[in-house]
Amino acid sequence: MKNLISVHDVENIHHLLEQALMFKREPLAERSLGSGKKLGLLFMNPSLRTRVSTQIAASNLGMECYVLNVGADNWPLEFREGAIMDGSNVEHIRDAAPVMGGYFDLIGVRTFPSLRDRTLDYSEHVIHSLMKYGGRPVLSLETATVHPLQSLADLMTIREFLPEGRRPKIAMTWAPHVKPIAQCVANSFSEWICAWGQADFVVAQPEGFELNESFLCGARVTYDQKEALEGADFVYMKNWCSYRDYGRVHGSAHEWMMTLDHLKLTNQAKLLHSLPVRRNVEVSDEIMDHQDCLAKNQAANKVWAAQAVLAEILKGQILA
Ligand code: CP
């Protein structure tokens, strides 16, 4: 693997999943693989789980890790080509990225979408600029349209709780929120489940909240949440704002909040959420505190997901 921008950079998803599970059993199995290598993590937005889990993963591989909070630890960055930089951004990515490429062997970046300019957000200009001007392998820590490390941790968690001898039904259901939230977790979960290819997958959302079809890869889509939940073995609960009317939230649709009544429709489903979650807005307390809620497992598995990806990129560098 050269970079991890999305699932499309993964050569063999089944192998990657096995590697993540192996690191969970043996965290220090490849403790010297990253010896002498430096990882820079560039955060343009907040993070708890991805930040810490990637740092632990790097440490388990013997890498040194440096975390930069853009605009706090380093200068606010400009990404527009040809920009007249007379605003608040102090340094252009064309200047900052080669400097980082000189310091680091591998660079991770987290950047949220604007939710105003769909074309710009879906071009993933931030991570592509970093790749272009940094000259180093790049790792997504969540970008405008996808969150691949999260999806690998989600898939790993599903793999650990698979029903025996049966193809599972996975339902991803839209959840209400108080403000516009990116589509990246939902887009990414969808394309990873489709690439895995071992589940019947259905996506449910109210009208107006349809995802970009290119991430759905033929998944079944419905406006009927009840129908999607019926018989589901896994339920992924997640808010996202409108793609069509980009960045908008139409109404509150409180009835889509996952509760014990919704859970009764399922096949005693395991419940997934990427966190952070707005309790009693997206998901009820009873669901978040339910014994079948795997949100904490997903968060814990982010270490092994990041470790598997870092190891693949490091091995790719050795072979290059
Ligand atoms: N799920 C997730 O990416 O969490 P953080 O935003 O805390 O990293």
Side-chain angles (χ1 to χ4, degrees):
M1 190 188 297
K2 289 191 176 65
N3 303 284
L4 182 70
I5 311 297
S6 77
V7 72
H8 303 292
D9 296 303
V10 177
E11 281 152 32
N12 185 332
I13 195 170
H14 304 288
H15 173 72
L16 190 62
L17 204 44
E18 290 309 321
Q19 287 297 107
L21 290 161
M22 182 278 288
F23 281 126
K24 185 166 185 171
R25 292 190 301 274
E26 293 181 64
L28 302 180
E30 308 233 32
R31 65 201 295 179
S32 57
L33 183 65
S35 178
K37 299 283 185 184
K38 294 180 178 60
L39 171 65
L41 301 180
L42 199 60
F43 283 90
M44 301 182 65
N45 302 99
S47 166
L48 165 61
R49 284 146 286 268
T50 311
R51 175 190 303 256
V52 178
S53 60
T54 307
Q55 286 178 275
I56 296 170
S59 168
N60 287 345
L61 294 168
M63 301 181 86
E64 284 177 48
C65 188
Y66 299 82
V67 178
L68 297 168
N69 297 301
V70 176
D73 301 333
N74 57 312
W75 304 110
L77 290 171
E78 176 62 63
F79 287 88
R80 290 171 303 154
E81 296 293 348
I84 297 169
M85 290 176 56
D86 57 359
S88 56
N89 291 334
V90 174
E91 183 162 28
H92 204 283
I93 191 68
R94 292 175 76 122
D95 302 311
V99 172
M100 289 187 277
Y103 296 146
F104 305 129
D105 299 283
L106 173 59
I107 306 172
V109 64
R110 161 162 292 199
T111 175
F112 288 169
S114 67
L115 298 182
R116 290 186 300 276
D117 184 337
R118 187 172 85 179
T119 305
L120 187 65
D121 288 347
Y122 272 70
S123 75
E124 292 284 15
H125 69 292
V126 170
I127 197 162
H128 288 301
S129 299
L130 192 60
M131 276 171 74
K132 183 174 173 185
Y133 298 120
R136 294 290 187 181
V138 170
L139 170 69
S140 167
L141 305 169
E142 180 175 345
T143 60
T145 66
V146 285
H147 194 356
L149 288 181
Q150 180 66 48
S151 306
L152 178 55
D154 298 340
L155 189 50
M156 190 181 162
T157 309
I158 287 172
R159 173 81 162 57
E160 291 177 311
F161 287 88
L162 274 181
E164 271 190 34
R166 194 165 54 74
R167 190 177 167 89
K169 176 179 178 183
I170 302 177
M172 178 166 73
T173 176
W174 182 91
H177 208 284
V178 293
K179 62 175 195 171
I181 296 291
Q183 293 119 14
C184 56
V185 169
N187 284 343
S188 196
F189 183 71
S190 175
E191 60 180 10
W192 279 74
I193 291 298
C194 296
W196 183 51
Q198 314 224 332
D200 294 330
F201 182 47
V202 57
V203 181
Q205 76 280 300
E207 281 199 59
F209 289 95
E210 303 83 358
L211 293 167
N212 178 327
E213 276 183 18
S214 65
F215 294 89
L216 292 168
C217 326
R220 197 161 64 78
V221 177
T222 177
Y223 298 118
D224 185 344
Q225 187 190 37
K226 186 166 173 260
E227 182 249 326
L229 295 176
E230 269 164 11
D233 299 293
F234 296 91
V235 176
Y236 205 105
M237 309 163 290
K238 188 73 188 88
N239 172 266
W240 60 87
C241 66
S242 176
Y243 174 75
R244 200 194 315 159
D245 190 7
Y246 192 59
R248 298 289 181 278
V249 179
H250 305 276
S252 48
H254 288 307
E255 67 279 12
W256 282 70
M257 180 178 82
M258 193 74 185
T259 65
L260 289 179
D261 282 342
H262 293 81
L263 184 61
K264 284 179 195 150
L265 298 167
T266 71
N267 183 26
Q268 296 180 309
K270 302 292 182 195
L271 303 155
L272 298 129
H273 194 289
S274 56
L275 301 177
V277 64
R278 296 237 183 188
R279 281 174 175 249
N280 303 312
V281 175
E282 292 176 76
V283 179
S284 70
D285 272 340
E286 292 77 11
I287 291 291
M288 286 313 297
D289 298 331
H290 197 279
Q291 61 182 7
D292 288 326
C293 181
L294 303 181
K296 292 186 188 70
N297 305 59
Q298 293 165 261
N301 280 339
K302 288 182 70 125
V303 172
W304 320 116
Q307 196 166 336
V309 168
L310 288 172
E312 286 293 299
I313 294 175
L314 287 168
K315 285 174 188 166
Q317 285 184 308
I318 292 164
L319 293 174

